[in-house]
Amino acid sequence: MKISLMLSLAALAVFSLEACAKQEKVLNLVPYPQEVTISSGTFKVSGAAFNCDPAVDARSQEAIRKFSVRLSTTSGKVSTFTTPVGLAASAEAGKVKGFVFTADETLSSGEYSIEVSGKSVKVRSSDFYGTLYAIETLKQLMPVAVYGSKADENANWHIPCVSIKDAPRFGYRGMHLDCARHFFSVDEVKKYLDVMAMYKLNRFHWHLTEDQGWRLELKKYPELTLIGGFRDGTMIGKDFSSDDGIRYGGYYTQEQVKEIIRYADERGITVIPEIDLPGHMLAALAAYPQLGCTGGPYKVWKRWGISDEVLCPGKPATFEFLKGVLSEVADLFPSEYIHIGGDECPKTEWEKCPDCQRLIAKLGLKDDKNASAEQYLQNYVMTFCQKVLEEKGKKVIGWDEILEGDLEEGATVMSWRGTAGGIKAAKMGYDVIMTPNSYYYLDYYQTKDTENEPLAIGGYLPVEKCYSFDPYESIAPELQHHILGVQANLWTEYIPSNEQLEYMLLPRMLALCEVQWCKPENRDYARFKTAVTDHQFKILDLLGYNYCKAIVEHPADE
Ligand code: ACM
Ligand code: ZN
């Protein structure tokens, strides 16, 4: 009896040692790097010098210098920043101590490596993006205090000895924000960009125009914001006949837009604006009623939903307007892509409108087994906009409705009604961004306990489901290059405050970032969940982000 007890105790001890060793092999990093090899020992980061090869590009050098300042402030010990000539060779010979940043042209854009020994932290990248991602990874290895603004001398300023090789899986790693249904200030948008950058997202899809508000100042059309930027009330809760009677609105000036573009760019993020057309245009019609089928009058919408009142392609002025708007948008945003919407455009008005019907006849558009004449008229509008933007050197993205009827070559399809549109588009040879509502509509509920959740549009999208998406499902290997990446969308009909916005975003955006970044074999929900609850929540706490704790309190029960 005694012996068998001793044997089982010994077995238990071996088991727990094994468990311990295993646990030590995992870091609390999100997104998890492609290759991680942990060895024994640590490196003391507080007070460590930052050495940067002069061959490292200027933007990377600036990011590294800023990181050295941050570490000095938060660790309470000064880390110097210098760019010694001949650093790469001395580092190669193992002569340099502290942080050593070198340029490595064999790495691709965004790729980086980190080698931590007891003596040094060697970081390699070939460009600004790789440098930024290396810095974000290093920050996650450090005490949470590194994200703050005060010195914490009691924190353990050591990082584990580890070798990391990392690169993103997808080039397009997006997060969308609807600033039209509800308006978010420049500071709130910046805070949104900050958390995107922390998790290595690189595309901010900025939804700027809607039935309920036009949020982008355009010099050629000032009434778009002066009139279209404000509504006289908002429906209350889910009561579509109600109206709180409170004037609501706001818009971004071009100076503010430039500031946001610059702020995003410093964090490796490209801002892709969306001008949603030809539907979702009531705010524009309120300002310019001559662009509608009936001539109005129109009001900026106070309720949610899909309006039948849309732009009238039968009026030549509409094309002049679209050209003016998109040209100014193209000049303002450096992004390669401009999103031109294309979703949810009812054709009821076009069917009745003599001007629209005249244009349909003139263009010879006819109903056929694929689409109606009015649908082909929408294709005509979308193609016109695409050509305007192409002349400005831009490419277009549209929601998957643009696949109905004809689609011009060169358009990129954003698949939102599930993945079917994306799969079809890839088969037809179009590029695709996967943003299926069933996985990535972050306005859906995060738990089934809807009584205790803030009012949401509906649905059920726990963090575990966001984590489980396979962007290549049903995509043949030879077509996978058409999948540019993955994005989540945050529509704000039921999100009136920044606090609620963050609650809906986090931590689901962290699940998204692993789908965007990690190879499938590196995804592991249990490891991810531990990292989020043990470490990432602490970072979000320190930075003052609101987030949903459902990952702990309501694990997905499906
Ligand atoms: C969409 O959700 N209407 C793209
Ligand atoms: Zn019309």
Side-chain angles (χ1 to χ4, degrees):
M1 185 71 184
K2 254 188 179 170
I3 287 174
S4 70
L5 183 66
M6 274 167 66
L7 279 176
S8 31
L9 277 175
L12 203 66
V14 169
F15 175 76
S16 32
L17 270 179
E18 256 181 24
C20 207
K22 237 186 193 158
Q23 262 185 2
E24 274 181 8
K25 296 242 178 296
V26 176
L27 300 167
N28 279 331
L29 300 173
V30 174
Y32 208 70
Q34 307 288 6
E35 284 179 41
V36 177
T37 313
I38 304 166
S39 41
S40 58
T42 61
F43 172 83
K44 188 176 179 208
V45 293
S46 49
F50 277 62
N51 306 283
C52 179
D53 190 331
V56 166
D57 67 281
R59 296 187 78 199
S60 289
Q61 286 197 29
E62 181 54 16
I64 295 162
R65 191 195 60 76
K66 275 192 189 154
F67 180 39
S68 74
V69 173
R70 163 160 297 284
L71 183 60
S72 302
T73 308
T74 54
S75 73
K77 289 219 169 81
V78 175
S79 281
T80 55
F81 171 85
T82 55
T83 53
V85 176
L87 177 72
S90 340
E92 209 54 49
K95 286 191 195 142
V96 190
K97 287 189 183 156
F99 288 91
V100 182
F101 289 84
T102 52
D104 182 344
E105 297 310 321
T106 67
L107 300 180
S108 55
S109 176
E111 192 175 1
Y112 70 92
S113 70
I114 298 174
E115 265 177 69
V116 185
S117 70
K119 233 173 60 171
S120 66
V121 178
K122 291 185 189 162
V123 181
R124 284 190 238 234
S125 62
S126 67
D127 68 356
F128 176 57
Y129 303 103
T131 306
L132 286 186
Y133 304 146
I135 291 172
E136 290 305 329
T137 299
L138 285 169
K139 277 161 68 185
Q140 288 196 19
L141 290 172
M142 291 182 190
V144 172
V146 77
Y147 289 88
S149 52
K150 300 195 297 267
D152 182 352
E153 287 170 43
N154 296 323
N156 177 11
W157 290 101
H158 287 77
I159 61 174
C161 291
V162 63
S163 167
I164 292 174
K165 288 193 171 65
D166 201 12
R169 182 181 187 204
F170 290 103
Y172 185 111
R173 302 183 300 281
M175 190 65 228
H176 152 288
L177 176 59
D178 170 10
C179 287
R181 268 56 174 268
H182 281 102
F183 181 72
F184 297 90
S185 70
V186 169
D187 283 346
E188 288 164 346
V189 171
K190 285 181 176 174
K191 197 174 169 205
Y192 199 85
L193 291 165
D194 285 341
V195 77
M196 284 176 61
M198 280 160 55
Y199 296 99
K200 304 184 174 82
L201 277 74
N202 66 353
R203 297 288 184 275
F204 175 53
H205 171 173
W206 201 7
H207 188 78
L208 285 165
T209 68
E210 261 305 336
D211 295 310
Q212 296 83 3
W214 185 285
R215 307 279 173 238
L216 174 66
E217 180 196 31
L218 291 179
K219 304 286 188 196
K220 193 162 182 196
Y221 301 100
E223 284 88 357
L224 281 174
T225 40
L226 295 177
I227 295 171
F230 299 86
R231 58 181 182 251
D232 287 334
T234 304
M235 64 179 264
I236 301 164
K238 292 251 166 116
D239 180 355
F240 281 75
S241 62
S242 66
D243 174 1
D244 67 8
I246 302 167
R247 191 165 156 81
Y248 181 93
Y251 61 89
Y252 306 98
T253 65
Q254 293 205 350
E255 280 316 303
Q256 290 173 323
V257 167
K258 285 179 194 160
E259 185 184 332
I260 284 173
I261 292 169
R262 195 165 48 238
Y263 191 88
D265 184 54
E266 281 169 13
R267 286 155 183 76
I269 297 170
T270 303
V271 180
I272 300 177
E274 179 184 355
I275 306 298
D276 199 352
L277 63 95
H280 290 283
M281 270 282 169
L282 254 181
L285 288 175
Y288 299 98
Q290 64 274 26
L291 306 179
C293 287
T294 64
Y298 303 98
K299 288 248 177 232
V300 182
W301 228 16
K302 300 192 248 183
R303 48 157 290 192
W304 319 128
I306 302 171
S307 169
D308 281 343
E309 295 179 317
V310 300
L311 284 181
C312 174
K315 313 274 191 302
T318 297
F319 289 92
E320 243 174 79
F321 171 79
L322 288 173
K323 184 168 185 192
V325 165
L326 294 172
S327 303
E328 201 169 325
V329 168
D331 289 342
L332 189 55
F333 289 87
S335 165
E336 176 188 17
Y337 289 95
I338 305 290
H339 200 305
I340 54 172
D343 61 322
E344 300 177 327
C345 180
K347 309 294 187 293
T348 38
E349 294 234 314
W350 296 1
E351 284 161 9
K352 290 184 292 191
C353 169
D355 295 328
C356 284
Q357 290 304 318
R358 212 171 295 122
L359 182 58
I360 283 175
K362 187 174 151 199
L363 296 171
L365 306 178
K366 297 207 164 51
D367 293 355
D368 64 19
K369 64 180 190 338
N370 295 319
S372 67
E374 286 74 21
Q375 178 55 47
Y376 286 116
L377 184 59
Q378 175 166 344
N379 298 149
Y380 179 76
V381 175
M382 302 312 284
T383 300
F384 172 85
C385 294
Q386 184 173 341
K387 296 248 157 78
V388 167
L389 287 165
E390 282 172 356
E391 271 178 31
K392 289 275 188 181
K394 305 291 192 187
K395 296 186 191 171
V396 299
I397 303 174
W399 298 109
D400 58 45
E401 284 92 334
I402 63 172
L403 282 166
E404 292 161 13
D406 285 331
L407 178 57
E408 187 70 13
E409 206 175 300
T412 294
V413 175
M414 194 167 258
S415 188
W416 72 277
R417 296 174 297 179
T419 54
I423 294 165
K424 181 177 164 195
K427 282 188 184 148
M428 291 165 71
Y430 293 97
D431 284 346
V432 172
I433 296 153
M434 284 293 191
T435 175
N437 52 355
S438 44
Y439 291 87
Y440 292 123
Y441 265 38
L442 303 191
D443 55 341
Y444 291 7
Y445 284 105
Q446 311 188 55
T447 79
K448 287 186 169 172
D449 182 16
T450 52
E451 299 280 298
N452 290 306
E453 290 289 324
L455 183 69
I457 201 162
Y460 172 56
L461 179 51
V463 65
E464 192 166 357
K465 176 130 194 217
C466 297
Y467 197 80
S468 68
F469 181 59
D470 172 6
Y472 287 160
E473 195 185 330
S474 306
I475 309 277
E478 67 277 14
L479 298 177
Q480 289 173 357
H481 67 278
H482 282 304
I483 310 300
L484 303 183
V486 185
Q487 172 177 294
N489 297 337
L490 197 32
W491 301 102
T492 60
E493 287 95 328
Y494 297 95
I495 306 181
S497 71
N498 191 55
E499 193 188 0
Q500 194 179 332
L501 185 75
E502 291 175 2
Y503 180 88
M504 300 306 272
L505 181 71
L506 303 167
R508 290 185 290 191
M509 193 197 78
L510 278 60
L512 166 73
C513 91
E514 291 227 340
V515 174
Q516 295 170 327
W517 187 275
C518 304
K519 288 194 182 137
E521 59 270 29
N522 283 332
R523 265 157 61 184
D524 172 345
Y525 188 69
R527 184 264 306 145
F528 167 79
K529 186 175 165 183
T530 303
V532 170
T533 52
D534 284 7
H535 192 60
Q536 306 299 328
F537 277 170
K538 292 184 182 126
I539 299 172
L540 297 175
D541 283 336
L542 183 117
L543 292 172
Y545 284 96
N546 190 27
Y547 56 86
C548 175
K549 296 179 185 67
I551 192 170
V552 190
E553 292 158 7
H554 298 267
D557 43 9
E558 270 194 344

